[in-house]
Structures are given as C-alpha cells and as structure tokens.
Amino acid sequence: MYERIVVPLDGSELAERALTHAEEMARLTGGPIHLVRVIDTLHLDRFGVYGLAVESAAYGQSLDAEERAAREYLATIEHDLGDRGFAVTREIRRGSVWHEIAATIEPADLVVMASHGRGGIPRWFLGSVAEDVVRHATAPVLLIRVATMPAQEAESATTTAAGG
C-alpha cells in the first residue's frame, strides 16, 4: 500500500517518538523508512539584508555546521534502524520546514511525524509544522500526538481548572 515511510526529524526527542510508529508501518508494508531533516533557513533572515551582508561568512559557517550535525544525526538513526533490519534512506533539505517536508513527499508515501498537540492560543502563536504538512501533503500523514507538559505543570493546570 505504501512504498515508503517518511519520517521528518528535527533532532528532538519529541520528533523521534514517531520512529516507533514508523518502524511498525515499515514492518507492515515492507517499505523503507526515509528520514528527512530540514535545516530551517528562514529564521536566519531576522537580521535583514544588512545583518546578512555583514555576517555572510558566519551565516555560511552556521549552515555548514548545521548540515554536518544533521548528517551525523541522521547517520546515527539510520545505523540504529539498519541494525534492526530496516531499509533506510535519508535526506537533508534547506528552507521552510513544512514546505521542504511537503516537497519530499511522493504520492505513494506515508508520512509519520510527531506533533506537540497544541491547540487554541498556543498553536496560534507558535504555529504548527505538522498542521502545514497535513494541509499540503500529497500523501497520507499519520500524526503522533506527544504530550510535552511536565507532570508538575499538568498538576498545576488541573488544580487551577478545578478552582483550587
């Protein structure tokens, strides 16, 4: 049914939680796992034209360092998955995260990615890469909702909501 299981990773533990689900889908379909890491170049525009002109050498060094780190990170995960018997490919892209993830997707793929599961105002302020991928993907997307609220915050939120 699916020819490839695409897993976007950003280096975080949260994103890696999608790997277990991707492994299961790869087992069921027999397809390879395709790891994608996007180096977000959009956040580097915050200094405008003048900042980039002054710091162009630093900008290039920063991108190179991020690409090296991404390559090493994906190689480690590829090796771990390979040791467990999975066929793995990997890809590093540069640009807008959701746009580059969507550009990677082929019609016969299944995308498996983690999401913070934010709603309401936090999602509105912070945006959602997962939401943008779902909107623009040319293949099915399996979102793994990961709760990131520490137990202490959850307890405080419950007490506040209960009027305590």
Side-chain angles (χ1 to χ4, degrees):
M1 176 178 239
Y2 302 114
E3 292 180 12
R4 190 173 69 154
I5 310 303
V6 176
V7 185
L9 296 170
D10 62 6
S12 70
E13 272 186 46
L14 182 131
E16 289 177 19
R17 291 188 190 175
L19 285 169
T20 303
H21 300 273
E23 289 177 37
E24 186 61 27
M25 295 306 296
R27 260 190 216 94
L28 292 170
T29 64
I33 296 173
H34 184 68
L35 307 172
V36 179
R37 173 87 161 94
V38 178
I39 298 171
D40 184 2
T41 57
L42 297 183
H43 76 279
L44 298 174
D45 288 341
R46 67 183 154 195
F47 298 110
V49 175
Y50 300 110
L52 288 178
V54 171
E55 298 293 332
S56 64
Y59 175 80
Q61 289 174 349
S62 176
L63 279 178
D64 290 345
E66 284 192 48
E67 190 157 331
R68 269 192 308 280
R71 198 173 342 157
E72 291 170 12
Y73 169 70
L74 291 181
T76 299
I77 293 178
E78 178 182 19
H79 182 352
D80 291 345
L81 291 169
D83 283 350
R84 290 197 297 279
F86 294 99
V88 183
T89 57
R90 58 187 155 123
E91 179 176 6
I92 298 171
R93 299 177 71 98
R94 292 181 180 187
S96 162
V97 176
W98 75 262
H99 185 266
E100 293 302 321
I101 292 169
T104 301
I105 301 167
E106 297 172 3
D109 289 343
L110 171 66
V111 180
V112 179
M113 65 187 296
S115 172
H116 286 94
R118 289 188 190 106
I121 292 174
R123 187 194 55 73
W124 186 66
F125 278 115
L126 298 173
S128 172
V129 170
E131 182 179 344
D132 286 332
V133 170
V134 167
R135 284 186 181 168
H136 298 93
T138 56
V141 178
L142 173 61
L143 287 180
I144 308 305
R145 185 172 181 179
V146 179
T148 58
M149 188 183 298
Q152 213 171 28
E153 288 180 39
E155 183 178 311
S156 173
T158 303
T159 303
T160 304

